[in-house]
Amino acid sequence: MKMLEKLSKPIAAMACAASLALLAGCTGGPAQPEKERPIARGPVFYPPLPNAPRIQYLTTIASERDLAPEHDGFADFIVGEDKGGQKLSQPYGVALHDHKVYVADTGAGNIAVFDLTKRSLSYMPGPGGGRLKRPINIRIDADGTKYVTDTGREQVLVYDAADRFLRAYGAVGEYRPVDVAIVGERLYVTDIAHHQVHALDKRTGRTLFSFGKAGSGEGELFHPTSIALGPDGDLYVVETSNYRVQRFTPDGKAVRTYGEVGTSPGSFARPKGIAFDRSGRMLVGDAAFQNVQMFDKDGRLLMFFGEAESGGEGVNLPAGVSVAYDGIADFRRFADPRFELEYVILVASQFGPNKVDVFGFGKMKGMDYSIDGQSGARSAS
């Protein structure tokens, strides 16, 4: 299947040997002062018009200012970066639940909570046993229970639906957790230090079994970072240093791999975040390509979206990727009136002025989505 657009950035040098350097993005030099947000160019679609678009960039969330009622998704950056108020520092994981965007801010060492209804910013309380050091990811169960992976504490922290700390899983040195997949009564935790995935009892934190070992063969893992449950019931693990996604059954049996290192469409350079929609499309963020690639259920590339250092929709070292169907109402005001949203996609960038970009997946009214005549590729319908 042909790509809808050509990738514009070559593969970045993979100089991150240590796991924490991998998580930080490995910028290869001292931190540079952030640029102001670029001026938005108007509605941005992927693929661009006059093709039948599937994704529209909607808005970005970096500070409480971005929740203001007058915030305009088509021209929100014209006034430049807001100098007042608290802002996200270096986000990694992101999740949307109950009209709130939860962001694991690794740089600030906290979980920022953007309330889309109250249009306010707060932080999950972390006194005592709930104090965070280096939160990487956050996953939220259907009942509102939250699981936060903290590589600084080397634990998975559990919070209730009201964001109150409940308990922590894992002894120091047992694992260095990066991400969690919630599957029934189990938690599957990626361990970047030991190149494994651990299955825990969701209620007690007891390790039920583990799978994987360091290597590049079938069933082996090398720096596993993100993990997601696919609609097929299998687990999909992003291996940042193997430049691939590997699929496992719930009992840890390897099924197949997706992708390989390279610069061509469908390959990976520094994959990190992963998410699925209900139709089985797999979305994988790549910190080197500075975009998110979308694959069909058979692993064939459909398209990519996000652009580095471009107009308002620029991403910079994207990490966490999540899909939310219950967030349409909160972001519909940013969408083109003709673009019908099916769900929203949140992408967290570790650097740059845009911290959490929000994209909408859907269809443009009155356009044919049976075949993309410009590229010859079938649409993502």
Side-chain angles (χ1 to χ4, degrees):
M1 180 174 292
K2 293 183 180 180
M3 193 65 166
L4 296 181
E5 297 181 58
K6 293 182 179 179
L7 291 172
S8 59
K9 294 198 66 175
I11 183 172
M14 300 301 295
C16 302
S19 60
L20 287 181
L22 282 168
L23 295 175
C26 191
T27 56
Q32 300 296 319
E34 285 192 353
K35 301 177 182 178
E36 289 190 350
R37 292 180 186 170
I39 296 176
R41 301 175 296 176
V44 177
F45 295 101
Y46 302 89
L49 296 172
N51 302 286
R54 267 313 208 168
I55 290 176
Q56 182 187 353
Y57 164 76
L58 300 179
T59 188
T60 194
I61 300 174
S63 68
E64 192 171 30
R65 167 188 170 273
D66 297 316
L67 304 179
E70 67 276 8
H71 186 51
D72 183 351
F74 295 156
D76 51 351
F77 305 133
I78 291 178
V79 297
E81 181 70 19
D82 179 21
K83 302 301 181 182
Q86 293 178 304
K87 305 178 183 67
L88 293 173
S89 173
Q90 189 181 357
Y92 196 105
V94 59
L96 174 60
H97 180 78
D98 193 24
H99 306 285
K100 296 177 182 178
V101 176
Y102 291 80
V103 184
D105 193 340
T106 303
N110 59 37
I111 300 293
V113 184
F114 292 90
D115 191 313
L116 302 176
T117 302
K118 297 180 180 178
R119 304 184 189 277
S120 62
L121 168 62
S122 61
Y123 298 90
M124 280 177 55
R131 188 176 301 279
L132 296 162
K133 289 186 178 180
R134 190 179 173 82
I136 298 293
N137 261 309
I138 179 168
R139 299 294 183 181
I140 306 177
D141 212 343
D143 64 359
T145 303
K146 299 158 187 74
Y147 300 90
V148 178
T149 54
D150 191 314
T151 58
R153 290 185 50 155
E154 299 186 350
Q155 291 181 315
V156 178
L157 281 65
V158 187
Y159 300 80
D160 66 13
D163 300 342
R164 295 171 298 203
F165 174 71
L166 296 177
R167 51 193 174 271
Y169 298 154
V172 175
E174 185 176 355
Y175 44 71
R176 180 172 290 166
V178 177
D179 198 8
V180 170
I182 306 168
V183 184
E185 295 304 308
R186 291 178 180 175
L187 300 177
Y188 289 86
V189 182
T190 54
D191 181 352
I192 196 171
H194 301 95
H195 311 285
Q196 289 184 307
V197 174
H198 307 289
L200 311 183
D201 182 287
K202 186 169 70 173
R203 307 297 176 185
T204 66
R206 180 173 62 91
T207 299
L208 303 175
F209 62 90
S210 303
F211 58 90
K213 64 178 182 178
S216 300
E218 180 181 347
E220 297 176 335
L221 299 168
F222 194 27
H223 288 137
T225 49
S226 297
I227 184 171
L229 176 68
D232 53 17
D234 284 345
L235 297 162
Y236 292 74
V237 181
V238 176
E239 300 177 66
T240 299
S241 294
N242 269 338
Y243 322 108
R244 68 186 184 185
V245 174
Q246 188 164 188
R247 175 180 169 188
F248 294 88
T249 63
D251 60 1
K253 180 181 179 181
V255 177
R256 63 167 292 187
T257 61
Y258 303 83
E260 60 185 2
V261 64
T263 60
S264 62
S267 61
F268 297 118
R270 200 182 303 157
K272 288 190 175 181
I274 186 171
F276 283 88
D277 69 12
R278 291 173 181 169
S279 297
R281 303 181 191 94
M282 179 173 68
L283 295 86
V284 182
D286 196 301
F289 288 151
Q290 305 279 53
N291 64 17
V292 178
Q293 298 189 77
M294 177 181 284
F295 303 83
D296 69 12
K297 60 183 179 181
D298 297 316
R300 294 173 298 191
L301 184 65
L302 295 172
M303 61 180 295
F304 75 89
F305 60 94
E307 300 177 24
E309 301 297 337
S310 60
E313 76 285 2
V315 296
N316 194 331
L317 293 183
V321 179
S322 66
V323 167
Y325 284 81
D326 60 355
I328 294 177
D330 296 311
F331 295 102
R332 194 186 303 278
R333 64 194 177 103
F334 300 113
D336 186 290
R338 301 165 297 164
F339 193 68
E340 299 176 321
L341 296 179
E342 182 179 333
Y343 58 81
V344 294
I345 305 163
L346 292 87
V347 182
S349 290
Q350 294 180 279
F351 293 96
N354 287 21
K355 300 304 183 184
V356 176
D357 282 315
V358 184
F359 300 85
F361 182 91
K363 293 181 178 181
M364 188 73 79
K365 294 179 182 178
M367 299 195 75
D368 180 14
Y369 283 83
S370 58
I371 295 292
D372 181 345
Q374 295 297 317
S375 67
R378 293 189 180 278
S379 72
S381 60

